[in-house]
Amino acid sequence: MRNGLDKDLIKRVLGAAPKYTLDELEAKFPPRNLPEGAYVTRFAPSPTGFMHIGNLYGALIDYKLASQSGGVFMLRIEDTDTKREVEGAVEVVKNAMRDFGFVYNNDETYGPYYQSQRKDIYHSVAADLLARGLAYPCFLTAEDMEEIRAKQTAAGFATGIYGEWARDRDLTDAEIIAHLDNGEVPTIRLYSVGDPNKRIFCKDAVRGSISFPENNEDLVLVKSNDGLPTYHFAHLVDDHFMRTTHVVRGEEWLPSLPLHYQLFRMMEWTPPIYIHTATLDKIDAETSKQRKMSKRKDPEANVAFFLQDGWPTGAVVEYLGNILASGYEEAKLKGVVKSFWDYEMKPKKIPMSGALFDMKKLEWWAKEYIGAMPVADLVASVVAWANEYGNDDNKMQVADEKYLAAVLGIERDNPKRVRKDFITWRQTLENVAFFWDKLFKPATDYEYNKDALRAFLTNYNPADDKDTWWSKIVDIANKVGIKNGDVAMNLRVALSGRTNTPDLYSIMSVMGGDMVRERIGRIL
Ligand code: GLU
C-alpha cells in the first residue's frame, strides 16, 4: 500500500469530485430481492458490429441459467473502447436477442446498462481506491511505455508495468501536483501488492478451483484519454453493483481471473461465480482437424449468417443447447422434454474445451425443428424471412400466403409422418419452387411415356378424391402396360421436373386443374 491521496488531489486527478461514496452506491444498487438459488447473469458484448456465434452461445447460457432459476438476465453494452465504436453495432446485438428469443430484463434500478454512461460510478470507486492507496495516478506516456517494453525485452524480463518498472507508483503528492500543473492527464493504475511467487486460488464453476501466480502488474483501471474504465475495472464495479451472481464469459478471460479476484478482495466484495466457456470449434474442411471457428474463414462464425440464410433461430438454439448440455438430445428423443427451455441444464456440465459446432448436425436439428412446427408458424416464418432477407423470387413466392400455406402444408397432416426435408427458410422456398410457373424447371431429358400422360389427361378430374384418382392411375397402367408406379413417376416428373417429391395427389390438389393440365399438355 502507498499513501492515499486526499480529497482535493483525488478531485484533480479524476477531473471532478466523486459523485458517490461507496455506501451511497451500496444503497443505490441494493442486493436483489430474489429467491434463493436465482441466477443473475448478464450478456456483456462489446458493440463491434459483428456478433460471433460464440457470443450467442454464451448469451444462451446466461439467459437459460437465469430463466430456469427464476433469476434475471441483463444485457450490458461494453462500449468503453470509444476508438472501436461502430454505427448500428448495438442494433446488431439487440436484434439477435430478439430473433433468438433471449429476453433481457434491464431493471432501471441497476442501470444504466451502457458502460459509457456509468463514468460517475467507476470514478466513485476509483476515488475510494485512490484514497486508500490501492491505486495511483500514472503519467507514463505511450513513448515511455514503449521504452520500458524495449528495455524489458532486451533484458529478458516479463513486459508490463510492475514493481520498479512502474515509474509513478510511489510519486509524492508534490510530484503528482507537478505533473497535473503541467497539464498531464493520468491513467489510474492499480497499486498491485501481489507477489508472483505466491499463488492465488480462484474458482470456476466448471473447472473447479484453479491456482494462479498472484498478479503483480499495475494494470490500468481508468484510461486517460476518455476517463472510461478498462474491462477489468468495469467488470469489478458493474458485476458487483448489478448484483451479478454468475459471470459467463469466454475462456480467453481465464488468465485475468487472479487479477479479478485481487480486485474483489481489495474491495472486500464477494466475487461472482465464474463460468469460462470453451471456444466453439469446427472440423476444418481441408485438414480434417478441429480448430476454432474463424471470423475470417467461416461464414457460420457470424450470427448474422444464420439470420440471412434463414436458419430457424429456434433450431440454432436447440443445437447450441445440446452442445452445452450434452444430456439434452437424449431427453428430447425420449420425449422427456419438448424443447431446450424445458430442460434443466447443469452449469457443471458445460464443456470445458473445444466444443464442436457442426453444420451437418445443425441441419438435423433444423429438420426436426421445422418438422414439429404447425403449418401456420412455418408459413409465418418463411414469409417474414423472405420479406426481410429474400430475393425477388422468394418475395414473389410468399406474396400469396394462402397458396404458400397449401404448398407448405403438404405431408404435414399426419404428425407421425411429417416430411423432414426443410432445413432453412431459403432452402424451403427453393425446395417447393416448382409450384410457381416462373420458377418451374421442366425436366428436359426425361423419356416420358406419352400414352400414359395422354390417358391421364383424358380422364382427369381435379375433384376426384384420392382413391378415385389412384384407381384411374391403375387403369392407365393396365391399359398402357406399365407399372402403376411408372405412371405416377411420369406425372411426377411432368409436374415437378423432379423424380423425388412428396405425395403426388397432394401436389396435384394444391396446383389445381389448370396448372396440372398445362404442364402435362406442354409435354404432349
Ligand atoms: N465485453 C467482454 C467480451 O465481449 C465481456 C466479457 C464478459 O462477459 O465479462 O469479451
Side-chain angles (χ1 to χ4, degrees):
M1 220 158 70
R2 46 165 285 137
N3 284 338
L5 308 187
D6 69 19
K7 273 206 174 94
D8 290 335
L9 196 47
I10 289 175
K11 187 173 159 187
R12 281 202 67 189
V13 161
L14 289 175
K19 189 161 171 193
Y20 308 104
T21 64
L22 285 188
D23 284 343
E24 282 165 351
L25 287 174
E26 290 293 332
K28 185 171 160 58
F29 305 112
R32 290 177 186 261
N33 194 1
L34 289 169
E36 173 106 13
Y39 284 58
V40 178
T41 61
R42 80 297 185 281
F43 175 45
S46 309
T48 61
F50 177 93
M51 192 163 156
H52 195 282
I53 184 78
N55 289 137
L56 188 75
Y57 174 71
L60 172 61
I61 301 176
D62 281 314
Y63 178 50
K64 175 67 175 148
L65 290 175
S67 57
Q68 77 178 16
S69 65
V72 177
F73 167 64
M74 302 173 272
L75 172 64
R76 182 169 77 218
I77 303 298
E78 306 220 315
D79 56 348
T80 55
D81 194 347
T82 32
K83 277 177 260 153
R84 272 176 56 193
E85 216 144 290
V86 182
E87 271 260 322
V90 173
E91 290 312 302
V92 170
V93 173
K94 288 191 172 169
N95 291 346
M97 295 295 99
R98 181 200 62 205
D99 293 344
F100 286 88
F102 302 171
V103 186
Y104 50 89
N105 175 358
N106 283 4
D107 180 337
E108 240 175 72
T109 310
Y110 297 94
Y113 290 86
Y114 283 72
Q115 288 184 328
S116 58
Q117 296 168 17
R118 297 173 64 83
K119 224 181 207 179
D120 287 342
I121 305 170
Y122 305 121
H123 283 207
S124 299
V125 178
D128 172 75
L129 290 172
L130 288 167
R132 290 196 285 143
L134 297 170
Y136 65 93
C138 170
F139 298 92
L140 287 173
T141 61
E143 295 78 55
D144 293 335
M145 306 230 314
E146 224 166 90
E147 211 172 290
I148 293 173
R149 199 186 168 81
K151 281 188 196 153
Q152 288 170 326
T153 314
F157 291 116
T159 56
I161 304 302
Y162 60 90
E164 63 258 40
W165 300 103
R167 187 194 71 189
D168 293 354
R169 209 170 132 86
D170 292 302
L171 291 183
T172 63
D173 287 4
E175 287 167 326
I176 293 173
I177 290 167
H179 278 289
L180 292 171
D181 285 347
N182 196 26
E184 295 169 49
V185 181
T187 55
I188 309 300
R189 281 185 189 270
L190 165 69
Y191 189 86
S192 183
V193 292
D195 173 358
N197 295 313
K198 292 193 195 143
R199 298 191 77 84
I200 178 167
F201 284 84
C202 306
K203 261 205 279 188
D204 175 281
V206 186
R207 292 167 177 78
S209 180
I210 314 168
S211 81
F212 295 87
E214 286 182 2
N215 166 61
N216 67 337
E217 274 193 74
D218 288 356
L219 285 145
V220 174
L221 304 177
V222 179
K223 299 178 284 168
S224 57
N225 62 330
D226 50 18
L228 285 169
T230 53
Y231 168 77
H232 309 296
F233 192 51
H235 156 53
L236 167 82
V237 173
D238 291 347
D239 286 315
H240 176 70
F241 287 117
M242 289 181 171
R243 308 293 173 184
T244 307
T245 64
H246 290 73
V247 165
V248 179
R249 61 185 183 187
E251 66 186 355
E252 68 274 17
W253 293 111
L254 205 50
S256 309
L257 198 49
L259 165 68
H260 299 158
Y261 263 72
Q262 182 183 17
L263 295 175
F264 274 92
R265 262 183 212 171
M266 275 169 27
M267 297 307 298
E268 293 178 30
W269 293 342
T270 313
I273 297 173
Y274 292 91
I275 296 174
H276 291 92
T277 56
T279 56
L280 285 184
D281 289 354
K282 69 176 281 175
I283 302 291
D284 188 277
E286 274 163 36
T287 64
S288 303
K289 290 214 177 83
Q290 185 164 340
R291 62 159 172 83
K292 255 195 205 181
M293 278 219 237
S294 137
K295 173 173 169 174
R296 207 166 38 79
K297 283 193 240 164
D298 308 313
E300 76 271 26
N302 188 351
V303 169
F305 161 82
F306 296 91
L307 300 174
Q308 284 157 9
D309 206 37
W311 289 81
T313 53
V316 176
V317 166
E318 289 282 283
Y319 178 43
L320 288 175
N322 190 55
I323 293 175
L324 68 89
S326 55
Y328 169 55
E329 182 174 349
E330 201 186 325
K332 179 167 166 139
L333 290 176
K334 281 191 185 149
V336 183
V337 291
K338 268 216 172 102
S339 84
F340 182 60
W341 304 120
D342 308 329
Y343 182 77
E344 167 127 13
M345 70 164 279
K346 306 251 180 349
K348 274 204 163 54
K349 292 204 171 161
I350 295 171
M352 242 191 277
S353 59
L356 205 54
F357 185 91
D358 177 352
M359 288 302 284
K360 277 280 160 223
K361 290 230 173 79
L362 175 61
E363 273 187 21
W364 181 83
W365 284 91
K367 286 177 180 172
E368 291 293 315
Y369 185 87
I370 298 180
M373 279 176 107
V375 186
D377 293 357
L378 171 57
V379 172
S381 302
V382 170
V383 171
W385 175 81
N387 287 329
E388 182 157 2
Y389 299 107
N391 60 24
D392 290 345
D393 287 343
N394 300 140
K395 290 194 171 84
M396 179 275 289
Q397 284 178 283
V398 303
D400 180 350
E401 277 190 40
K402 255 178 113 184
Y403 185 60
L404 180 67
V407 169
L408 297 183
I410 292 174
E411 276 190 25
R412 299 181 77 87
D413 30 18
N414 179 353
K416 287 206 188 89
R417 277 192 40 231
V418 173
R419 62 190 294 191
K420 297 249 171 82
D421 55 346
F422 295 149
I423 306 168
T424 68
W425 312 138
R426 185 199 300 287
Q427 173 270 351
T428 296
L429 285 173
E430 278 164 11
N431 183 309
V432 297
F434 66 84
F435 279 95
W436 286 266
D437 285 332
K438 178 171 178 244
L439 305 177
F440 171 54
K441 292 199 192 75
T444 43
D445 50 1
Y446 189 77
E447 292 198 14
Y448 291 101
N449 184 318
K450 294 195 176 163
D451 290 340
L453 293 181
R454 215 169 279 122
F456 178 81
L457 277 194
T458 324
N459 274 324
Y460 173 52
N461 179 356
D464 284 345
D465 64 19
K466 193 163 183 178
D467 290 338
T468 315
W469 171 82
W470 182 248
S471 66
K472 285 183 180 173
I473 288 183
V474 174
D475 286 348
I476 297 168
N478 290 335
K479 208 170 86 194
V480 184
I482 59 176
K483 290 191 198 127
N484 301 343
D486 290 335
V487 179
M489 185 56 82
N490 271 275
L491 293 168
R492 184 186 311 281
V493 177
L495 294 176
S496 70
R498 303 187 344 204
T499 52
N500 190 348
T501 68
D503 181 57
L504 184 58
Y505 176 77
S506 310
I507 290 177
M508 290 196 185
S509 311
V510 171
M511 285 183 167
D514 291 347
M515 193 184 282
V516 169
R517 281 199 197 90
E518 199 274 323
R519 288 199 185 171
I520 297 176
R522 211 193 308 189
I523 294 161
L524 298 175

